[in-house]
Amino acid sequence: QVQFVESGGGLVQAGGSLRLSCAASESIFGIGVMIWYRQAPGKQREWVASIVNSKTNYADSVKGRFTISRDNALNTLYLQMNSLKPEDTAVYYCNKVPAHAWGQGTQVIVSA
């Protein structure tokens, strides 16, 4: 089955940018919906962004700052994060619809 490996996280100053990647172990061409989630300490996992074909949707908290995209040729999902805020600090995960097993995620820490 397809496996996802998230990467690109790190420590960044408020206002900075990060580009997260989600590499799939096999083709994602046939996966219609892919999603980025995040989970902050003490909080439940929350939906961040999704991409359905070329249509994208975002949580209100990140709208206008984050951009989700996919490259089927590279079997990779991306999340470009700009104007980062301390509230964005979390472990970020990718998945699909229907949901598959969760990967390890990638840690994003935004300092003031």
Side-chain angles (χ1 to χ4, degrees):
Q1 289 186 210
V2 62
Q3 298 179 46
F4 300 118
V5 179
E6 300 92 344
S7 63
L11 176 63
V12 65
Q13 300 270 342
S17 298
L18 284 173
R19 179 172 172 267
L20 306 185
S21 297
C22 170
S25 61
E26 59 188 67
S27 177
I28 60 171
F29 178 78
I31 301 176
V33 184
M34 293 198 70
I35 302 173
W36 280 102
Y37 300 86
R38 68 186 182 187
Q39 186 167 25
K43 292 187 175 182
Q44 298 183 72
R45 186 184 299 112
E46 66 174 337
W47 168 75
V48 174
S50 60
I51 183 166
V52 184
N53 296 319
S54 60
K55 182 181 178 181
T56 59
N57 281 285
Y58 302 91
D60 288 342
S61 59
V62 307
K63 201 166 190 176
R65 300 187 297 119
F66 291 10
T67 302
I68 186 173
S69 62
R70 62 191 290 173
D71 189 331
N72 291 337
L74 297 179
N75 298 331
T76 303
L77 180 74
Y78 301 99
L79 185 67
Q80 178 66 48
M81 307 187 297
N82 299 324
S83 301
L84 284 163
K85 304 175 180 179
E87 305 90 87
D88 296 319
T89 296
V91 177
Y92 285 72
Y93 303 87
C94 67
N95 217 311
K96 64 181 181 66
V97 177
H100 190 61
W102 297 102
Q104 189 171 347
T106 185
Q107 176 79 64
V108 172
I109 300 175
V110 185
S111 61

